[in-house]
DNA sequence: TGATAATTTGACCGGTTGGTAAAACATTAC
DNA sequence: GTAATGTTTTACCAACCGGTCAAATTATCA
């Protein structure tokens, strides 16, 4: 008997495990480059190498696929920010946060674009996550930064906008990759651009947040 | 007699002028929030308040509409960078470039999202512009920055990545607006966030590019 | 005013879209 | 091995998509 996916309560088959993995991998490809509305189930099915109805056997709707993908990716996407350590040295914490975010942009550009597409289009599917878990996490880390600034360990600045700046500058290399490579030209479009970016951004943020001795 | 749009060689009617304006306005709305593939002609027609065939009387295809929009917007989008003055004071040039870009993010978020969508999805319609006029302009301004750095007027840095950083941090407030407002919360989602952002970014880039006296 | 050209509309078309039904096929448990 | 369950496919549907057509309507101007 064929049970609708949602009704299957527990115990997933080996095949289920494998195929769902395969599908989400394909879905990431497609959603990341075309956004939700611009993607078609047929397209995902083709990338996954299976028929559309077969795909719909594992995820009953396009929405369900997208949901599953977001859920899986969002968590790991926030890991670098979670690792941000209140006890650590402020400058090196910020420096390594930048580096980690840049590594993610380099190694997981599709994940970055998945969110970028989603947020650009008004975040219709992840509004709750934005205002919930994400906001909570950012609030927490912003407080850490605020305390650092107050204690005179880094320059006074708005911690939220600092976080936004780190997000935008690093994710830029994933989301706007075509533009970056287009502008840099063929010669500079190798992986070296990430090292150059890391060097520049670390310099920018580290000197940019240094304490200015106004009254010593 | 009804002439196909492309065959009309010159002399546009008042109505043509008005309607084309109306359509491009509506198209900007729709393309900016859904991307090219995610947008439908019906949708644009509805926003423009006219029937689909009527809309197609002015622009014969969806592509033509998108093309016209890109052409109209791209030029003005690059104005702030063009104003970047080699003769001016480096710090104040950079500062006012940031401010102008931030003003555009505030006043023309749809235009920003139109490009963001396009580039995010691989820039299928503007690849030539990226590698042509845009690259040329950036090359030119990057050279200006390089000379400034060489002359010791600002810190040594990769000018291309500096430009990318300014683009990404400022456009972030247009492209990722939902996220920014979600994270800042209701209280801080007023227009004040742009002033806060301006203050932070000017501080970041100005101190970040200050000369460090290593050997005086 | 009337002729002429410009604009607008409703009906329509072939292809694509998200999704379904049912039967064929494969796998597993006993 | 066989029965039960899990998986895949073929055929299909209604809604939507980009776009066409011809007729109806409106604006322009001699």
């Amino acid at each position: 008997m064929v049970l609708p996916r949602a009704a299957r309560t527990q115990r997933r088959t080996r095949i289920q495990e494998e195929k769902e993995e395969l599908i989400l991998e394909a879905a990431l490809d497609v959603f990341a480059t075309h956004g939700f509305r611009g993607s078609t189930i047929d397209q995902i099915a083709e990338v996954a190498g299976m028929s559309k109805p077969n795909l719909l056997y594992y995820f009953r709707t396009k929405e369900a696929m997208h949901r599953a993908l977001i859920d899986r990716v969002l968590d790991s996407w926030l890991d670098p920010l979670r690792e941000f350590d209140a006890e650590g040295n402020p400058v090196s914490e910020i420096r390594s946060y930048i580096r980690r975010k840049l590594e993610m942009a380099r190694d997981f550009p599709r994940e970055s674009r998945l969110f970028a597409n989603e947020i650009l289009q008004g975040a219709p599917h992840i509004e709750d996550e934005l205002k919930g878990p994400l906001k909570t996490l950012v609030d927490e880390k912003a407080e850490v930064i605020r305390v650092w600034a107050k204690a005179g360990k880094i320059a006074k600045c708005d911690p939220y906008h600092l976080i936004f700046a780190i997000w935008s500058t690093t994710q830029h290399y994933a989301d706007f990759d075509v533009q970056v490579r287009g502008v840099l030209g063929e010669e500079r479009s190798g992986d070296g651009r990430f090292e150059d970016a890391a060097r520049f951004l670390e310099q920018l943020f580290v000197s940019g947040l240094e304490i200015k001795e106004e009254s010593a």
Side-chain angles (χ1 to χ4, degrees), chain A:
Chain A
M1 195 238 270
V2 54
L3 279 180
R5 179 92 212 348
R8 276 184 256 135
T9 43
Q10 56 234 78
R11 194 93 64 197
R12 307 192 332 172
T13 330
R14 173 185 51 85
I15 295 181
Q16 267 169 52
E17 211 98 36
E18 287 171 9
K19 290 291 162 91
E20 285 175 14
E21 185 65 27
L22 195 68
I23 290 167
L24 288 180
E25 178 67 17
L28 179 56
D29 251 43
V30 177
F31 283 136
T33 40
H34 297 112
F36 182 76
R37 288 183 45 157
S39 302
T40 72
I41 299 183
D42 293 84
Q43 221 179 331
I44 297 168
E46 199 193 324
V47 173
M50 62 177 77
S51 68
K52 178 169 62 172
N54 194 7
L55 191 153
L56 285 163
Y57 170 74
Y58 293 101
F59 296 92
R60 300 197 316 179
T61 64
K62 190 178 159 185
E63 290 252 10
M65 275 178 40
H66 193 252
R67 198 28 327 133
L69 200 53
I70 292 278
D71 287 346
R72 146 194 296 220
V73 169
L74 183 58
D75 216 55
S76 66
W77 195 245
L78 291 178
D79 277 346
L81 186 53
R82 280 198 205 90
E83 288 176 34
F84 205 95
D85 184 8
E87 310 300 321
N89 172 283
V91 172
S92 63
E93 282 302 313
I94 288 170
R95 194 196 296 268
S96 62
Y97 181 49
I98 290 169
R99 191 161 336 158
R100 265 190 289 253
K101 285 291 288 178
L102 212 42
E103 280 165 12
M104 295 197 74
R106 183 192 62 200
D107 300 335
F108 307 101
R110 295 177 305 170
E111 283 80 352
S112 186
R113 288 194 203 109
L114 179 75
F115 289 122
N117 260 305
E118 184 62 20
I119 292 167
L120 238 187
Q121 311 192 356
H125 305 96
I126 58 168
E127 237 202 312
D128 295 345
E129 281 87 348
L130 287 189
K131 296 183 175 170
L134 176 64
K135 177 169 168 42
T136 307
L137 180 62
V138 174
D139 282 342
E140 183 191 319
K141 299 303 181 180
E143 178 60 19
V144 170
I145 294 171
R146 205 187 57 78
V147 170
W148 282 346
K150 194 116 194 177
K153 292 179 180 171
I154 57 170
K156 276 180 192 154
C157 69
D158 187 317
Y160 288 91
H161 292 283
L162 170 58
I163 291 174
F164 292 152
I166 296 177
W167 283 354
S168 59
T169 49
T170 53
Q171 291 176 5
H172 189 77
Y173 292 93
D175 304 342
F176 291 73
D177 181 56
V178 192
Q179 191 184 58
V180 167
R181 281 187 293 107
V183 167
L184 286 181
E186 308 260 330
E187 334 72 78
R188 291 192 63 192
S189 287
D191 267 13
R193 71 184 185 283
F194 285 99
E195 286 154 40
D196 294 343
R199 205 170 305 123
F200 171 80
L201 291 177
E202 287 182 22
Q203 176 196 333
L204 176 69
F205 282 96
V206 170
S207 340
L209 295 174
E210 252 166 24
I211 301 281
K212 309 270 277 286
E213 307 290 344
E214 289 175 40
S215 53

